[in-house]
Amino acid sequence: MTTTAAATVPVGGPIELGHEHGWMIESRHSTSQGWVVYVRCAGCGARRVDVQESAGAIPVPYSGIVL
Ligand SMILES: [Zn+2]
């Protein structure tokens, strides 16, 4: 007896727009809440604003992506 797969499922997650943004820092500014970091995608030019609480902290997206 052989078992056949019911369906062929593509490996990997859903692909949206076929593009993973590659953020580059355009500028950053010190504020009372930490650093506000302006980033831009090198691939498509989309922009986003991140907030970084301290120099070693992981930047958190503050704004949505602006195309
Ligand atoms: Zn992009």
Side-chain angles (χ1 to χ4, degrees), residues 28 35 37 48 50-62:
R28 71 167 89 197
W35 291 90
V37 184
R48 199 181 67 184
D50 290 350
V51 171
Q52 193 176 15
E53 286 188 2
S54 63
I58 296 170
V60 177
Y62 179 76

Side-chain angles (χ1 to χ4, degrees), residues 1-3 5 7-8 12 15 17 23 30-32 39 43-45 51 54-56 63 66:
M1 284 287 191
T2 56
T3 304
T8 302
I15 298 171
L17 303 175
W23 300 111
S30 177
T31 73
S32 59
V39 296
C44 70
V51 171
S54 63
S63 75
V66 180

Side-chain angles (χ1 to χ4, degrees), residues 19-22 41 43-46:
H19 173 80
E20 187 171 335
H21 297 298
C41 175
C44 70

